[in-house]
Amino acid sequence: MPPSVPSLPRRVARILRTSLFAQVACALVLGIVVGKLWPDAATQFQPLGDGFTRLIKTIISPLVFCVVVVGIAKAGDLKAFGRIGLKALVWFEVASTVALLIGLLAANIVQPGSGMNVDPSQLDPSAVDAQTGGGSLPSTTEFVLNALPQSFIGAFAENELLQVLILACLVGAALLHLGHTKVPKVLPAVEQAQEIIFAIVGFIMRLAPIAVFGAMASLIGQYGLGVIETYAKLIILCYVAAALFLVLLGVALKAVTGLSLWKFVRYIREEMLLALGTASTESVMPRVMQKLRRAGARDDAVGLVLPTGYSFNLDGASLYLSIGTLFIAQAVGVDLSLSQQITVVLVLMLTSKGMAGIPGSAFLALSATASSLGAIPAGAVALLLGVDRIMDSMRVVTNLLGNCVAVFAVSRWEGALDADRAKKVLDGAIVPTEGDDEIVPVVPEADGGKGESSATKAPGADAPVAPVAADPDGGLAAVPAQPAKEPAQEAD
């Protein structure tokens, strides 16, 4: 007798109960509706998104520290770690420069600010100061000094990722120097701490739909949908330019690693939606690190490249800054020459490196660029106040994918990427388990079954591990382990 097919409402309820992607997508739509219908009340939901981001930030620094220390200690080669860092910086600089050039080219062709005829004297420069808190971007010297920790605990307390990276490199190098015989309990303790942190990430991620709802409702309630009509030309240009840049990223990823960017986007679709809803790449950093490791990237490459990219590889921000600078100039009737536009690129190449973690950093970078040119009134930056929050979605997606592509590319160059495993994970041929970083082959049944996996035995384990099968909605569902009639094979 054929099995009964669940009714549509039951299937929908099951998807909403088991799929984080579906939950976040529904929360996103619900937030937009609430923000549109009850704008005054919707602005009160912002603490939901802020609270979630704060919870995630509490574990980012210890997670990065553990991943980097374990990566260096297990790789056993500090020189290789240095090569990974150098190659990552080269990739970041090239990618950011390409993003800046695409932005300038797009703004010159489309002219998003032409015809606005804005009188700079009517703009209020104090509005920009209110947005940035009167802060300023650090100089190159200050940026380098700020990357050096003043105390071990302070780097973690202040969530300074670059300082944590340096401390992790020092600890990892010390473990290599001393060897496991002198400090046999340190590395296992760090590995166990890492597993605890990933478990905490899983707990916090259950709150993701609530965070997305609160952040989106507050955004729509505060700015409304009318701002999209006012700045439609600029918004569309930024998103189209970002799409073009992502296409180029996809081509580069395919050429270097043979992997598909589109399949990777499907692989991290829950994290993408969460980043869109909260307008923060930090909110998904722990989960993305975990997924990159499960997709075949080695610990030391993930631990170094991804956190460093959060400070050095702001592709989306670079794209937005170049378009925004020309938009402001065109809006106030200033025609920038080729030499001035080259100056814009050079200034933004420097200012964009010190943006991470600074409130109103985009406005500070735009103000610094305007001041360096001497042709654009600094107060004209206020033209972007109404649209800046709308651009967050473009920036976070482009920054996130740019950093992930960098992890795969640098890992491939350094021989730290299991390309076969990565392809199988992105194709859905194998599904990483939630409990560890082992992978379970998906073996179709002889009768054309549903792709359930056979029981596997994790390396070093004494008993078979319950396999994991892919749900139709993209989630992970445990399959009860069956008694094996013959020794189980190790996963790839």
Side-chain angles (χ1 to χ4, degrees):
M1 182 176 180
S4 60
V5 178
S7 63
L8 180 60
R10 293 188 65 181
R11 292 202 301 270
V12 171
R14 178 177 177 273
I15 291 173
L16 288 176
R17 186 177 67 254
T18 60
S19 172
L20 179 63
F21 177 81
Q23 294 169 5
V24 172
C26 289
L28 193 71
V29 174
L30 184 61
I32 293 174
V33 172
V34 171
K36 175 64 177 177
L37 297 180
W38 301 283
D40 293 335
T43 56
Q44 306 302 313
F45 290 120
Q46 182 61 39
L48 296 178
D50 293 343
F52 176 84
T53 303
R54 292 183 69 168
L55 283 175
I56 288 291
K57 284 184 176 181
T58 60
I59 58 175
I60 286 179
S61 292
L63 176 60
V64 169
F65 178 82
C66 291
V67 170
V68 173
V69 170
V70 172
I72 294 177
K74 286 190 172 181
D77 186 358
L78 196 59
K79 291 183 179 179
F81 200 72
R83 290 196 303 270
I84 290 174
L86 180 60
K87 291 175 181 178
L89 291 177
V90 171
W91 176 277
F92 293 157
E93 196 57 50
V94 171
S96 297
T97 303
V98 170
L100 286 170
L101 294 176
I102 288 176
L104 285 180
L105 181 63
N108 276 292
I109 293 175
V110 179
Q111 301 276 324
S114 61
M116 294 186 68
N117 300 319
V118 175
D119 183 0
S121 63
Q122 301 299 317
L123 299 174
D124 184 11
S126 63
V128 177
D129 292 335
Q131 182 74 12
T132 60
S136 61
L137 291 176
S139 64
T140 303
T141 303
E142 290 173 337
F143 180 73
V144 173
L145 288 176
N146 289 338
L148 301 177
Q150 298 186 62
S151 71
F152 201 99
I153 302 300
F156 290 89
E158 297 173 8
N159 244 351
E160 294 288 347
L161 280 187
L162 290 181
Q163 295 183 13
V164 171
L165 272 175
I166 291 176
L167 290 173
C169 291
L170 292 173
V171 173
L175 286 177
L176 284 180
H177 177 71
L178 294 173
H180 298 311
T181 56
K182 291 187 177 180
V183 283
K185 297 183 179 180
V186 174
L187 184 58
V190 176
E191 288 183 299
Q192 291 170 20
Q194 177 179 277
E195 293 305 317
I196 292 173
I197 294 171
F198 276 128
I200 295 173
V201 172
F203 298 151
I204 297 176
M205 287 300 294
R206 297 180 182 181
L207 303 175
I210 299 175
V212 169
F213 166 76
M216 188 55 61
S218 176
L219 169 65
I220 301 300
Q222 183 176 357
Y223 295 101
L225 298 176
V227 68
I228 298 178
E229 299 176 4
T230 305
Y231 290 92
K233 193 174 182 180
L234 174 62
I235 295 172
I236 292 173
L237 176 61
C238 285
Y239 278 83
V240 170
L244 174 60
F245 177 76
L246 292 178
V247 168
L248 295 178
L249 267 185
V251 172
L253 179 65
K254 191 73 174 179
V256 174
T257 67
L259 303 178
S260 167
L261 182 61
W262 171 247
K263 291 180 180 179
F264 178 72
V265 170
R266 286 192 305 172
Y267 176 57
I268 62 165
R269 57 187 180 275
E270 293 95 346
E271 291 74 23
M272 292 282 290
L273 267 185
L274 178 57
L276 280 169
T278 59
S280 170
T281 54
E282 287 185 334
S283 64
V284 299
M285 182 180 176
R287 284 266 298 197
V288 170
M289 289 181 71
Q290 194 174 28
K291 285 198 168 183
L292 286 170
R293 294 165 66 230
R294 290 175 176 174
R298 209 167 65 195
D299 282 8
D300 52 347
V302 175
L304 179 61
V305 178
L306 190 66
T308 306
Y310 272 61
S311 294
F312 287 92
N313 193 40
L314 303 174
D315 298 329
S318 299
L319 194 74
Y320 169 65
L321 290 175
S322 57
I323 294 177
T325 300
L326 263 67
F327 168 79
I328 294 170
Q330 293 161 4
V332 298
V334 175
D335 185 19
L336 297 180
S337 64
L338 178 60
S339 61
Q340 288 176 314
Q341 293 192 30
I342 293 175
T343 303
V344 167
V345 172
L346 295 176
V347 172
L348 290 178
M349 284 174 63
L350 296 175
T351 56
S352 62
K353 298 299 181 291
M355 288 176 56
I358 300 177
S361 55
F363 294 101
L364 292 173
L366 287 170
S367 299
T369 306
S371 300
S372 66
L373 292 175
I376 305 175
V381 176
L383 284 172
L384 293 176
L385 284 172
V387 75
D388 182 72
R389 183 63 179 81
I390 304 296
M391 297 299 186
D392 275 344
S393 299
M394 179 273 293
R395 289 196 293 254
V396 298
V397 169
T398 309
N399 289 343
L400 178 61
L401 290 179
N403 288 331
C404 291
V405 169
V407 171
F408 281 125
V410 174
S411 298
R412 181 68 172 182
W413 287 339
E414 192 54 34
L417 175 67
D418 186 342
D420 290 337
R421 173 172 172 168
K423 289 178 181 178
K424 289 177 182 178
V425 170
L426 298 189
D427 288 339
I430 52 178
V431 181
T433 67
E434 288 291 342
D436 54 32
D437 292 329
E438 299 304 322
I439 51 179
V440 180
V442 176
V443 182
E445 294 181 345
D447 59 353
K450 301 170 184 176
E452 294 181 351
S453 60
S454 59
T456 61
K457 185 174 182 180
D462 294 329
V465 177
V468 176
D471 280 346
D473 57 16
L476 297 177
V479 180
Q482 302 295 329
K485 296 182 179 179
E486 55 186 44
Q489 300 284 332
E490 283 193 357
D492 290 339

